[in-house]
Amino acid sequence: MIQRFDRSDRRILKYPAVHPCEGISPATLLGSLITLSQTICNYHSKLLATQRKNARETIRQIGILSLFFQEIRDLGLNLPSSSVLCFSELHFSFQKIQFLLEDCTREGARVWMLMKAHVVATQFRVLIRSVATALDVLPLGLLDVSQEVRELVEMVANQARKANLELDPDDESAMNSVILILNQFENRFEPIPSVIKQVLDHLDIKSWIGCQNEIRFLDEEMGLECVDGNEREIPLLSSLIGFMSYCRGVLFEDSDIRNMDDKSEGRRSMEMLNCLNLEDFRCPISLELMTDPVTVSTGQTYDRVSIQKWLKAGNLLCPKTGKVLATTELVPNSALRKLIHQLCADHGVSMAKSKSKNRDISRTIIPGSPAAAEAIRFLCTFLAGRLHYGTDDQRCKAAYEVRILGKSNIFNRSCLIESGTIPPLLTLLTSINPSLQENAIAALLKLSKHPNGKKIIVHNGGLSIIVAVLKDGLKLEARQIAAATIFYLSSVYKYRILIGRIPKAIPALVELLKDGTSYGKKNALVAIFALLLYPRNHQIVHAAGIVPILVDLLASSYETDLITDALAVLATLADRVDESTSLQNASFLALVIRILQSSSMSRGGKEHCVSILLSLCNNCGEDVIAFLAKDSSFMASLYSMVTDGTAHASKKARSLIRIIHKFHETSSSHMLTKEGPNFHEHRVRLQ
């Protein structure tokens, strides 16, 4: 039996070959060798950006052996037992050779394979020598093959034994050029474009997408290195990512962005907020989800435990801004704490367990190497210039680059902001070019996640411009991204107030709930939820007619996340007496009970249901309580929340149970004290 290895999980330059099982039949082994050798020979037609000479020599030798195997099969020769050992060792070596050739032709791994050229050349030499060793024990005299094939096999054995597979001089020259370029970046010298172009030509990287593929591979490899706890390769990987990012943005600036990475509108929509993002609420010091956020005198927010340790160590500077703290007083950020706890409840995330989450984001706060840092700074300066002075096509391309650079890298966002990209991006929001407007607002979305980005957007009058895109954007995508940007900006208390004061802001979010895609509706919901953390925004949200829209969404949607977010907004509205009356009707109560009893609803969604009903009981009184008391199955759902829900949900469910029990007791007592045959039965009428 031949064991197969799943190649989908194989790391580059790892060769997890397996020996054929003992007792394997010679015919099966021979058939597998033929298949394997033919697969290796097929690499002759594939692009080899590096190791061309070594790969071709290896493929040539395997091709000759393939003829040998096929002749044995075609003649129906019986294999002596001594040949099985040789063939087993050849099979093992051939697997590794196939893995090595896969890596040499792997899309996106060209620059990495170039920088590992010495290691790869050595591996080719080792594997060819292993073929020679296996052929040394081949009983060729016992096999009745043609004289021509016999001589070819002997020739391969002799050549493999003496093989001198060395590093290709062209590869070595290109590798040294990359090292020179990285050293120039590190020393803050911008490399000569012609030198970079020579390297890219050698690797046959001729497009924006080619650079992007390299960056994607390098980033994935760096993530795997972090997971493995191996930091040795991180500096080189980071430097190469910075180098290829520079190439993508500067050398291929005239590329048509319609043919770039995110080709479909559907994939671009994935940039929308999928509910609230836990990553946005991590402490800048510990990089863990903040359980007790507090604000220091500079206005920055940290987790209490982390900032207290910082201060106790004698540090009197703000960790994020570097400014001297005017006071060591820590002010609880109760609004943010409520938002984080609500988010955890929505997604069933334990606050305690959240600290053990993957910390991949930590490696983006500071650059992985000095070369990477300077390459990104050069690129950001170039992009800022293009945004200011380029043609419309160049500006659109530059905005798209900002959009990608800031997607998931905190250091990149910081460099882009320092380079002055925000003011021109805000100007581009008024463009009559739909693609330009969309890329500009998407870029601002990424930069709005950074504290300084929020500040510069607001100080440059960006709130009203972003709201204008939210209301009248040239494309629905732009409007939906604007809603996400509003959410990030509203995480700052004073900006929450300013946004609420813009007359068209909240109505535009409510309008997006009607005509947006699923992602657009989620963006609008979380933005509204954040704005509701400022009490005076409640009346504006209610006056915009949000209640019937949310009720219709609950009744018509099948998306759990969307329903959960809608319930979160309704729970916030129901908490206020003056707004809860609009929810006091039988059809809405029945709908909430149905959602609560749904087996597919999230735990967070069910908790919102209990919150809504508890608030309506407290604010609207006996009419609502009487309606709930009539539904016998409702009590079972509450008891289930007591046992299976979070501590917060359990507390609310118990409160609701007590209210209903008290109502039943009061009703029974009231009926027993009635006198005379003509008393009227108590009736409840819901408006």
Side-chain angles (χ1 to χ4, degrees):
M1 178 179 178
I2 303 294
Q3 297 179 359
R4 302 291 182 187
F5 179 81
D6 183 5
R7 287 177 166 76
S8 62
D9 295 330
R10 186 179 68 85
R11 291 281 302 279
I12 196 166
L13 298 181
K14 303 293 182 183
Y15 317 104
V18 291
H19 281 284
C21 298
E22 292 185 14
I24 185 174
S25 73
T28 301
L29 180 58
L30 181 63
S32 185
L33 268 174
I34 292 172
T35 301
L36 196 52
S37 60
Q38 289 175 341
T39 301
I40 291 172
C41 291
N42 289 337
Y43 281 95
H44 182 76
S45 61
K46 296 185 179 181
L47 175 64
L48 288 159
T50 57
Q51 305 291 333
R52 296 179 180 92
K53 181 179 177 181
N54 292 338
R56 287 168 184 162
E57 176 60 20
T58 301
I59 292 170
R60 184 188 68 81
Q61 294 189 17
I62 300 300
I64 294 173
L65 292 178
S66 178
L67 296 174
F68 169 57
F69 300 140
Q70 291 177 57
E71 180 160 318
I72 294 175
R73 181 196 60 189
D74 295 343
L75 294 175
L77 301 178
N78 291 323
L79 294 176
S81 58
S82 56
S83 67
V84 174
L85 174 61
C86 168
F87 285 5
S88 293
E89 291 301 319
L90 286 175
H91 193 281
F92 185 72
S93 297
F94 282 13
Q95 290 177 65
K96 290 191 172 185
I97 290 171
Q98 183 183 354
F99 287 140
L100 188 57
L101 290 171
E102 281 181 0
D103 292 341
C104 289
T105 57
R106 183 167 176 174
E107 185 70 24
R110 295 175 188 177
V111 70
W112 182 243
M113 291 296 287
L114 175 66
M115 301 311 291
K116 293 294 179 181
H118 283 292
V119 174
V120 176
T122 300
Q123 191 63 29
F124 270 113
R125 185 166 58 251
V126 168
L127 290 175
I128 284 298
R129 296 280 172 82
S130 71
V131 170
T133 302
L135 291 175
D136 284 343
V137 298
L138 175 66
L140 194 56
L142 300 178
L143 298 172
D144 190 18
V145 294
S146 66
Q147 182 63 29
E148 181 183 1
V149 169
R150 186 187 306 274
E151 291 176 356
L152 287 173
V153 172
E154 290 173 345
M155 180 190 69
V156 167
N158 185 51
Q159 291 178 346
R161 201 176 299 115
K162 299 177 181 179
N164 186 27
L165 303 183
E166 300 293 342
L167 178 61
D168 189 301
D170 290 339
D171 287 349
E172 186 170 23
S173 176
M175 181 178 64
N176 289 335
S177 293
V178 173
I179 294 172
L180 173 64
I181 291 167
L182 296 183
N183 286 336
Q184 288 177 324
F185 276 130
E186 185 172 345
N187 291 299
R188 301 183 180 180
F189 290 107
E190 195 162 9
I192 300 173
S194 60
V195 176
I196 297 178
K197 190 176 185 304
Q198 288 176 0
V199 173
L200 297 182
D201 287 344
H202 177 76
L203 296 174
D204 201 42
I205 298 174
K206 299 180 178 179
S207 66
W208 187 98
I209 292 177
C211 290
Q212 178 65 0
N213 289 337
E214 297 291 316
I215 295 168
R216 184 183 294 110
F217 165 79
L218 293 167
D219 191 60
E220 290 174 356
E221 191 65 19
M222 189 158 64
L224 292 171
E225 291 286 319
C226 291
V227 170
D228 291 345
N230 181 10
E231 302 291 327
R232 186 170 58 88
E233 299 285 8
I234 297 300
L236 177 58
L237 286 164
S238 298
S239 297
L240 294 176
I241 290 174
F243 168 49
M244 295 311 299
S245 296
Y246 177 89
C247 295
R248 183 190 66 191
V250 176
L251 270 65
F252 297 104
E253 62 157 331
D254 294 327
S255 298
D256 186 350
I257 64 171
R258 291 173 298 181
N259 296 321
M260 291 181 184
D261 189 41
D262 295 327
K263 295 180 181 179
S264 68
E265 293 300 316
R267 288 186 62 185
R268 290 189 181 185
S269 295
M270 295 300 289
E271 293 185 355
M272 308 304 159
L273 294 172
N274 189 354
C275 301
L276 300 181
N277 189 353
L278 285 170
E279 294 297 327
D280 301 312
F281 302 105
R282 293 187 181 275
C283 173
I285 299 175
S286 67
L287 304 176
E288 295 173 351
L289 195 65
M290 291 185 283
T291 56
D292 187 10
V294 293
T295 302
V296 297
S297 59
T298 59
Q300 302 299 324
T301 300
Y302 304 93
D303 199 29
R304 183 183 294 276
V305 174
S306 299
I307 192 63
Q308 284 179 337
K309 288 181 180 179
W310 172 271
L311 295 173
K312 286 180 180 179
N315 298 303
L316 297 178
L317 300 178
C318 174
K320 183 178 285 188
T321 65
K323 296 179 180 179
V324 177
L325 295 172
T327 174
T328 57
E329 180 183 4
L330 304 177
V331 180
N333 192 330
S334 56
L336 182 58
R337 185 175 186 273
K338 179 180 178 181
L339 186 61
I340 294 172
H341 280 256
Q342 187 65 66
L343 173 60
C344 289
D346 288 350
H347 297 282
V349 175
S350 165
M351 296 293 286
K353 291 182 180 179
S354 68
K355 294 186 178 182
S356 63
K357 293 283 185 180
N358 192 313
R359 298 187 185 181
D360 279 353
I361 193 173
S362 65
R363 63 182 170 89
T364 73
I365 294 177
I366 57 175
S369 71
E374 297 308 320
I376 293 300
R377 289 192 178 102
F378 276 123
L379 173 57
C380 292
T381 300
F382 175 84
L383 294 176
R386 279 290 182 257
L387 290 171
H388 274 290
Y389 307 114
T391 64
D392 276 0
D393 287 343
Q394 290 173 333
R395 288 175 174 176
C396 194
K397 167 64 168 55
Y400 190 83
E401 284 291 339
V402 175
R403 179 179 185 174
I404 295 176
L405 280 174
K407 189 171 184 179
S408 57
N409 191 295
I410 297 172
F411 176 76
N412 288 357
R413 292 172 193 162
S414 178
C415 288
L416 288 164
I417 292 166
E418 291 173 2
S419 298
T421 57
I422 289 179
L425 284 171
L426 288 171
T427 301
L428 295 180
L429 293 184
T430 60
S431 171
I432 59 173
N433 182 326
S435 295
L436 185 52
Q437 185 186 69
E438 180 192 346
N439 283 313
I441 188 63
L444 287 166
L445 167 62
K446 306 304 185 296
L447 302 183
S448 70
K449 298 178 181 181
H450 194 284
N452 291 338
K454 294 180 178 69
K455 185 184 301 183
I456 295 174
I457 288 172
V458 174
H459 287 183
N460 281 271
L463 288 181
S464 59
I465 305 174
I466 293 170
V467 168
V469 175
L470 172 66
K471 183 179 183 299
D472 299 312
L474 300 174
K475 296 170 66 175
L476 179 60
E477 292 293 334
R479 294 174 56 205
Q480 296 180 149
I481 297 172
T485 310
I486 291 292
F487 161 70
Y488 283 107
L489 293 172
S490 62
S491 64
V492 179
Y493 180 79
K494 59 182 179 181
Y495 300 161
R496 210 174 291 150
I497 299 173
L498 294 175
I499 294 169
R501 289 176 179 172
I502 300 175
K504 298 178 180 179
I506 290 176
L509 288 170
V510 173
E511 189 66 23
L512 189 58
L513 289 175
K514 294 191 292 186
D515 53 21
T517 65
S518 175
Y519 291 104
K521 290 175 181 177
K522 289 175 184 177
N523 291 353
L525 283 170
V526 296
I528 291 169
F529 183 87
L531 291 172
L532 285 173
L533 294 175
Y534 176 59
R536 292 189 180 181
N537 285 336
H538 278 245
Q539 186 177 358
I540 304 172
V541 171
H542 193 271
I546 193 173
V547 171
I549 295 173
L550 292 181
V551 172
D552 182 65
L553 191 152
L554 293 181
S556 60
S557 178
Y558 294 97
E559 296 186 46
T560 301
D561 288 346
L562 195 56
I563 293 173
T564 299
D565 287 346
L567 288 168
V569 173
L570 286 168
T572 305
L573 292 172
D575 198 40
R576 294 170 63 93
V577 176
D578 53 342
E579 293 158 14
S580 59
T581 54
S582 61
L583 301 173
Q584 185 190 354
N585 61 80
S587 60
F588 175 71
L589 293 174
L591 176 60
V592 174
I593 293 173
R594 178 172 62 80
I595 295 172
L596 175 63
Q597 295 173 340
S598 171
S599 59
S600 61
M601 179 45 52
S602 65
R603 186 168 65 174
K606 291 185 177 184
E607 180 175 340
H608 292 319
C609 290
V610 174
S611 297
I612 291 169
L613 296 175
L614 180 60
S615 295
L616 292 179
C617 286
N618 290 331
N619 295 334
C620 302
E622 191 172 298
D623 287 352
V624 174
I625 300 171
F627 182 89
L628 299 179
K630 290 190 298 183
D631 191 334
S632 58
S633 63
F634 174 61
M635 293 298 287
S637 299
L638 291 180
Y639 282 117
S640 177
M641 288 295 293
V642 170
T643 56
D644 300 331
T646 63
H648 194 50
S650 178
K651 181 179 179 181
K652 291 180 179 180
R654 284 195 298 269
S655 297
L656 202 46
I657 289 170
R658 283 195 295 269
I659 290 173
I660 294 175
H661 278 321
K662 184 177 180 180
F663 173 80
H664 282 302
E665 292 170 0
T666 303
S667 298
S668 299
S669 175
H670 181 65
M671 292 181 69
L672 289 174
T673 58
K674 289 290 183 180
E675 295 182 358
N678 296 321
F679 74 92
H680 295 282
E681 180 182 356
H682 175 72
R683 298 181 181 273
V684 176
R685 292 182 176 86
L686 292 168
Q687 301 301 319

